[in-house]
Amino acid sequence: MITTSTTLRWRPFRQHRVLQGCLLWYAVTWTVTAIHPRFPSDWLLENLLALAFVAALAATWKRFPLSDLSYLLITAFLTLHAIGAHYTYAEVPVGFWVKDWLGLARNHYDRAVHFSFGLLLAYPIREVFLRVARTRGFWAYYLPLDVTLAFSALYEIIEMAAAILVAPDLGDAYLGTQGDVWDAQKDMLAAGIGALLAMLLTALLSRRMPRPAYLSGKGGAAGVPPG
């Protein structure tokens, strides 16, 4: 059974089939998308933060493991990101298919991934708040939305700085603005909408789930090492 933030239990890696599957899936996806990327320099820049994020998850897994659901959501987002990095977000084929199908003015794959950033990562962020800050009620849903928007804004700033300092020649290929002067703001809005939707769904579903032990004053989650 897939664990959630309320049913988390620690397992050795050799018994953690979900985590093994996530690592294998991402390793294969990353390897495939690393083969002949459209713009190698852009691909490298796009993957720096992603690999740092994966390294951080690996380094903290034993002491601070996340639930199966969080790992699955994170893997889904990293998969979408890897595909975008391979083609550059503005030139992902599926984005052109949707553009032609719906008669859109531009390739919206990048916007979909920003939306997915909020939709898929707000839950893992909430899980961290539940366990570290023991947030309850309104704050357990608002803070993940707030942090998602903060991370989205920070990413836009880092992206701008990287484009200027590291690869100014890539320009629009790296930023993916496609001529839209409001691209950064729309990306952040998409992430915020995704996070809001994720928290609304979590609020609706959490009423049917058991209260986590680490919020009820009965100690840490089952089998999770302290700290």
Side-chain angles (χ1 to χ4, degrees), residues 34-88:
I35 299 173
H36 302 304
R38 183 154 298 182
F39 295 104
S41 297
D42 175 67
W43 174 87
L44 179 60
L45 287 175
E46 294 281 8
N47 276 279
L48 287 177
L49 286 178
L51 292 178
F53 181 46
V54 172
L57 288 175
T60 60
W61 166 76
K62 190 171 184 180
R63 190 157 184 81
F64 195 88
L66 298 176
S67 64
D68 293 349
L69 180 55
S70 285
Y71 283 127
L72 287 168
L73 293 172
I74 290 170
T75 303
F77 172 75
L78 289 174
T79 299
L80 294 174
H81 175 75
I83 295 171
H86 175 81
Y87 292 100
T88 75

Side-chain angles (χ1 to χ4, degrees), residues 20-31:
Q20 291 173 6
C22 288
L23 284 173
L24 178 61
W25 173 268
Y26 182 63
V28 172
T29 300
W30 189 89
T31 301

